[in-house]
Amino acid sequence: MNWPPTLLASEYYDLNGTHIDVLEQPPTALEFARLVHISRPVLIRGVEIPTMRFWDDDYLAASMGETEISVAVTPNGRADAVTQGADGKLYFVEPHVQKMKMADFLRSESVPDSDDSEIYYLQSQNGNVFSNRSFEGTPDPSEFEALRTDIPREIPWCSEALGRSPDAVNLWIGNHESITSIHSDPYENIYTVVRGSKHFTLLPPTEGWCLQERIYPHAKWTRKSPDAALTMIPSPDVSIRWASVIDPHTPGKLPSDAHPLRVTVEAGETLYLPSGWWHHVSQEDKTIALNWWYDMEMRGMSWILLNFLRGVGEVPLGNSSESSEKEDE
Amino acid sequence: MNWPPTLLASEYYDLNGTHIDVLEQPPTALEFARLVHISRPVLIRGVEIPTMRFWDDDYLAASMGETEISVAVTPNGRADAVTQGADGKLYFVEPHVQKMKMADFLRSESVPDSDDSEIYYLQSQNGNVFSNRSFEGTPDPSEFEALRTDIPREIPWCSEALGRSPDAVNLWIGNHESITSIHSDPYENIYTVVRGSKHFTLLPPTEGWCLQERIYPHAKWTRKSPDAALTMIPSPDVSIRWASVIDPHTPGKLPSDAHPLRVTVEAGETLYLPSGWWHHVSQEDKTIALNWWYDMEMRGMSWILLNFLRGVGEVPLGNSSESSEKEDE
């Protein structure tokens, strides 16, 4: 069983190409169950999220009132990303999390960029609207309690197809400087854009090796005092496995074996992003999105094979001389 | 990507065990779509095949009348199996195919065994009842035309789940001496026992390497004259890839990494045998079965990964000194 990974990648590409199917209306549960089995991204139109019609800034600010929400702050727009530290080493850096009112957050998103401004991104993604506790009947507090009545707790055709409720429902608000670095999740992901547009760059699980996952030391953007600038503080003894390719769009960063799919999801559109697919996400200014994460099917072979394609057990350190790549932007 | 195959096999086994789920009634299309995604064998009760109630020997013989059917004949009950030739080499040997009336065939199945008797097995398995031509509206002649009205052309919940009609529907009739050697198919297989019982020994795709597929020269059981005994005649320039493990039940033939599942399917029961699963099949005397083969989903990763698990491109010859095993029964 000594196939070069290039062969799996090329066979997958030869069979599937880089086409993304577009559905003009949501699938039935049965149609979606078939799509999950195929495990290819699909752009879906006509998913009815009433929210889309009335979620302007004034409404959101008024609804949320004085409630404080957790916003990711970074100097570069890259939360949860590999970034070069002052010591020249590469770190996987988590954002600083700052509490602020929705009105203030939305105002910050409207300020024109300057080179020294910090980037704010609402991306708490821990089931920030609903977590699985909501479906288990246990208390499920949320900073977005006031918006919950606007947000569907689940996507009926997806819940029915998978035979389960979502594990997490998240609200995302960001601008063109906020970027989610490329990674994959063990979730079936339903991602709906409410306002603005999101740009996804996707790689199938067979091409994950092109991203050179490495072990990076962990750090966190931190403010030493409330008014201080952000500093990257390493976390002792914590390390994280993450892709070494920071921007898959930079020429030369991906080998020719990689065949990225690019898709822009506009307001009113929904992306089905299958479990195990690698995704890099950016967006236009003031893009608002919702996503529903459903646990992937763990029975059978899918989980075993996704791990195999990631190359479990053979991950080198990210700062060794042969494998590191310096941040290039 | 240099995992030892033992690791994939043990991870799959650790996650899934050897349990076979039993459904007391047929699944809905949506439930079956989920089962196909999990790709584990399932025993299903209550699949309504009216045939079961009235298919005794007299009815079958009377319905078929003078029509000749194609029956596989071998000296050892092993059609399409690796067998040692007179020259000591191992061959993949196809059965002799003999035309006979149903009444004569059924009578031959009732004769008590003697050491020198030939074994007859109705296993033409080329869509012998219905082929995909039936669903494409083109002529689809069958030796079993007279029985077609008794046999469902498709399994509604399976066709609906997969979004397609069967590629082939087959009738099988055999006795305890007829054995199907272990192999896998790129089909979702619905297998219903009408009379008697079938014994399946199954290995998941992750354990296919335990069967040591090799390239064997092809041969065919042949009668030099109508009354002559069967002789194995090699086919020049034809070779076939097949499992070297002839009987997975012989102690020592499978490595300890293999975790075979054993299931007996009784009359009135149906086995869902997922694509890519390895299966060895034997049966009680006068077992009658029907199966519906549906093309597996070729889009996505399933096909690529099944081929990978078979180890495409690294198949040695079956008669080389280090890899051959002599037939042991």
Side-chain angles (χ1 to χ4, degrees), chain B residues 234-309:
Chain B
S235 320
D237 305 326
V238 183
S239 54
I240 301 284
R241 175 184 176 152
W242 208 256
S244 296
V245 172
I246 292 164
D247 187 344
H249 311 111
T250 307
K253 284 302 169 193
L254 289 178
S256 60
D257 309 281
H259 302 95
L261 284 65
R262 294 195 188 203
V263 57
T264 292
V265 184
E266 305 285 358
E269 294 180 331
T270 296
L271 180 69
Y272 163 50
L273 179 59
S275 53
W277 275 71
W278 298 86
H279 49 292
H280 174 278
V281 193
S282 63
Q283 61 224 297
E284 300 302 310
D285 281 346
K286 286 251 192 100
T287 291
I288 302 182
L290 294 166
N291 92 295
W292 292 259
W293 266 324
Y294 288 79
D295 287 339
M296 66 174 283
E297 176 59 68
M298 300 299 283
R299 293 166 289 181
M301 279 193 292
S302 304
W303 174 244
I304 307 292
L305 290 174
L306 281 183
N307 276 336
F308 166 71
L309 290 172

Side-chain angles (χ1 to χ4, degrees), chain B residues 21-291:
Chain B
D21 269 342
V22 178
L23 299 183
E24 291 301 332
Q25 54 187 12
T28 65
L30 178 56
E31 286 164 349
F32 188 64
R34 289 187 205 135
L35 294 174
V36 170
H37 186 48
I38 298 170
S39 195
R40 298 268 313 163
V42 181
L43 187 68
I44 305 171
R45 302 204 169 106
V47 176
E48 196 51 45
I49 309 289
T51 305
M52 291 174 199
R53 289 194 289 273
F54 53 85
W55 268 22
D56 60 20
D57 285 9
D58 289 346
Y59 175 86
L60 291 171
S63 299
M64 292 293 294
E66 299 298 302
T67 305
E68 295 213 305
I69 59 176
S70 301
V71 173
V73 191
T74 59
N76 58 3
R78 297 178 170 275
D80 304 322
V82 170
T83 306
Q84 193 167 12
D87 58 2
K89 279 172 66 177
L90 294 169
Y91 291 85
F92 172 86
V93 193
E94 279 193 60
H96 175 58
V97 175
Q98 194 161 321
K99 299 278 188 176
M100 57 179 76
K101 292 176 200 153
M102 180 64 92
D104 295 334
F105 169 64
L106 290 171
R107 202 153 32 237
S108 80
E109 294 287 282
S110 307
V111 171
D113 307 322
S114 69
D115 275 350
D116 59 350
S117 70
E118 294 174 341
I119 315 298
Y120 293 77
Y121 190 20
L122 168 49
Q123 56 119 43
S124 39
Q125 66 185 282
N126 51 353
N128 64 18
V129 182
F130 298 108
S131 83
N132 57 357
R133 292 185 297 275
S134 274
F135 299 95
E136 291 160 359
T138 48
D140 184 24
S142 163
E143 292 174 348
F144 302 98
E145 180 67 44
L147 295 174
R148 274 181 163 173
T149 51
D150 293 351
I151 299 171
R153 287 156 63 104
E154 54 190 315
I155 301 295
W157 41 266
C158 184
S159 298
E160 194 184 346
L162 302 176
R164 54 177 70 99
S165 302
D167 187 63
V169 183
N170 298 299
L171 170 64
W172 310 72
I173 305 179
N175 65 26
H176 82 276
E177 292 190 291
S178 297
I179 288 168
T180 301
S181 68
I182 195 158
H183 69 286
S184 69
D185 304 303
Y187 292 110
E188 307 297 349
N189 194 348
I190 305 292
Y191 206 111
T192 298
V193 174
V194 172
R195 275 171 53 190
S197 51
K198 286 251 179 190
H199 309 292
F200 288 82
T201 300
L202 309 172
L203 289 180
T206 44
E207 296 177 10
W209 59 273
C210 298
L211 299 168
Q212 301 173 66
E213 281 195 288
R214 299 287 181 266
I215 304 295
Y216 290 99
H218 181 275
K220 195 164 177 176
W221 293 111
T222 308
R223 251 191 248 294
K224 290 187 172 158
S225 67
D227 295 325
L230 292 168
T231 323
M232 191 195 297
I233 305 292
S235 320
D237 305 326
V238 183
S239 54
I240 301 284
R241 175 184 176 152
W242 208 256
S244 296
V245 172
I246 292 164
D247 187 344
H249 311 111
T250 307
K253 284 302 169 193
L254 289 178
S256 60
D257 309 281
H259 302 95
L261 284 65
R262 294 195 188 203
V263 57
T264 292
V265 184
E266 305 285 358
E269 294 180 331
T270 296
L271 180 69
Y272 163 50
L273 179 59
S275 53
W277 275 71
W278 298 86
H279 49 292
H280 174 278
V281 193
S282 63
Q283 61 224 297
E284 300 302 310
D285 281 346
K286 286 251 192 100
T287 291
I288 302 182
L290 294 166
N291 92 295

Side-chain angles (χ1 to χ4, degrees), chain A residues 1-3 5 8 11-12 15-16 30 34 36-38 160-161 297-301 304 308 312 314, chain B residues 1-3 5 8 11-12 15-16 30 34 37-38 160-161 163 297-301 304 308 312 314:
Chain A
M1 202 168 294
N2 201 354
W3 263 17
L8 277 173
E11 293 201 337
Y12 183 85
L15 187 64
N16 294 284
L30 178 56
R34 289 186 205 136
V36 169
H37 186 49
I38 297 170
E160 194 184 346
E297 177 57 68
M298 300 299 284
R299 291 166 291 183
M301 279 192 292
I304 307 293
F308 167 71
V312 166
E314 42 179 58
Chain B
M1 203 168 294
N2 202 355
W3 264 16
L8 277 172
E11 293 202 336
Y12 182 84
L15 187 64
N16 294 283
L30 178 56
R34 289 187 205 135
H37 186 48
I38 298 170
E160 194 184 346
E297 176 59 68
M298 300 299 283
R299 293 166 289 181
M301 279 193 292
I304 307 292
F308 166 71
V312 166
E314 41 180 60

Side-chain angles (χ1 to χ4, degrees), chain A residues 47-91:
Chain A
V47 176
E48 196 53 44
I49 310 288
T51 306
M52 290 174 199
R53 289 194 289 273
F54 52 86
W55 267 22
D56 58 21
D57 285 8
D58 289 345
Y59 175 85
L60 291 171
S63 298
M64 292 293 294
E66 298 299 301
T67 306
E68 295 213 305
I69 58 175
S70 302
V71 174
V73 191
T74 59
N76 58 4
R78 295 178 172 276
D80 304 320
V82 171
T83 306
Q84 193 168 10
D87 59 0
K89 279 172 68 177
L90 294 170
Y91 291 85

